[in-house]
Amino acid sequence: MLNIILFGPPGSGKGTQAQLLCDKYGLVHISTGDLFRDEIRKETALGIRAKGYLDKGELVPDEVTIGMFSSRLDHEIAAGAEGFIFDGFPRTVKQAEELDQLLAKRTMKVKRVLSIVVSVGELTKRILLRGKDSGRSDDLNEELVAKRIAEYNSKTTPVAGYYEMHGLLRIIEGEGSVEEVFRRLSEAIDHAA
Ligand code: AMP
């Protein structure tokens, strides 16, 4: 099973790239951000709890996130998934440790961690532009965008360190066209040991 983790700050293009990679390698895309937005739309108890954090640009507590992720993982495995792109998960070291355990229980493991890197100036520009079309409230406000990028840097960068320690991390330059970034990501997957 090919299981890939895609890292990247908000606006790095990871959602778009995740979709392209799923199509190319026959993988299932699990985006915890999308799952939260779905729960919020449906006004479930989980959605109502998560909304406050998303509105503030903060991470949802680990136990809520891990529970939601784990049930989605089980659901997709039961539906016949043959590999995954994990997008937006794990975002804390605790989530990374839990992911290792969740996968090990199912005799699966992470094959490659790809971290898309884009400068803060470019990220802010891209997100504010995306907000105009997507209507995502967390994309529309410059202060909130800066907070999400800071939150990413403080909480998620240590997660990259966790995977670097395990020899799984590859840094991918995220500026350039969608096709260029996709080619870089594909090469890193194809050359995974
Ligand atoms: P994203 O679409 O990945 O940018 O995520 C949007 C928001 O969902 C984040 O700003 C967090 O509030 C929340 N979120 C998504 N994934 C996670 C995660 N793994 N852990 C905690 N919060 C998350």
Side-chain angles (χ1 to χ4, degrees):
M1 243 198 204
L2 181 59
N3 299 308
I4 307 285
I5 295 175
L6 203 54
F7 277 149
S12 61
K14 75 181 154 57
T16 306
Q17 295 294 344
Q19 209 44 63
L20 292 170
L21 292 170
C22 282
D23 293 346
K24 175 168 180 179
Y25 294 96
L27 307 174
V28 171
H29 181 196
I30 299 189
S31 153
T32 40
D34 284 350
L35 294 179
F36 281 129
R37 282 184 287 276
D38 207 38
E39 298 282 339
I40 291 170
R41 233 181 344 259
K42 292 189 201 142
E43 297 183 343
T44 63
L46 194 153
I48 290 162
R49 184 154 178 220
K51 188 174 184 318
Y53 295 96
L54 270 84
D55 284 349
K56 283 186 272 170
E58 291 170 8
L59 293 185
V60 179
D62 281 337
E63 70 278 8
V64 179
T65 308
I66 291 164
M68 177 183 73
F69 173 84
S70 151
S71 49
R72 185 56 172 228
L73 185 69
D74 282 338
H75 170 86
E76 296 292 357
I77 292 172
E82 296 202 343
F84 291 94
I85 298 265
F86 301 126
D87 162 6
F89 186 92
R91 258 173 154 106
T92 64
V93 172
K94 165 93 175 135
Q95 290 179 14
E97 289 167 352
E98 289 281 346
L99 177 62
D100 279 348
Q101 288 181 21
L102 287 173
L103 293 180
K105 270 190 223 149
R106 298 159 179 85
T107 61
M108 292 160 60
K109 60 181 181 182
V110 174
K111 173 103 174 178
R112 181 61 89 212
V113 180
L114 304 171
S115 177
I116 305 178
V117 176
V118 179
S119 71
V120 174
E122 174 71 15
L123 289 176
T124 310
K125 207 169 72 189
R126 286 190 196 174
I127 299 175
L128 293 171
L129 202 67
R130 174 174 79 183
K132 284 190 191 152
D133 292 331
S134 70
R136 266 180 65 172
S137 58
D138 61 346
D139 280 349
L140 286 167
N141 166 333
E142 196 157 348
E143 204 178 311
L144 199 57
V145 168
K147 185 162 174 195
R148 282 161 61 209
I149 295 173
E151 183 87 341
Y152 175 83
N153 285 332
S154 71
K155 299 240 171 80
T156 311
T157 305
V159 189
Y162 174 87
Y163 288 111
E164 189 166 27
M165 215 167 62
H166 292 85
L168 294 173
L169 183 72
R170 292 294 175 275
I171 304 292
I172 306 293
E173 169 57 59
E175 295 192 30
S177 67
V178 169
E179 294 75 20
E180 275 166 342
V181 178
F182 180 57
R183 186 180 42 73
R184 291 178 201 138
L185 290 164
S186 299
E187 275 172 15
I189 293 174
D190 295 340
H191 297 149

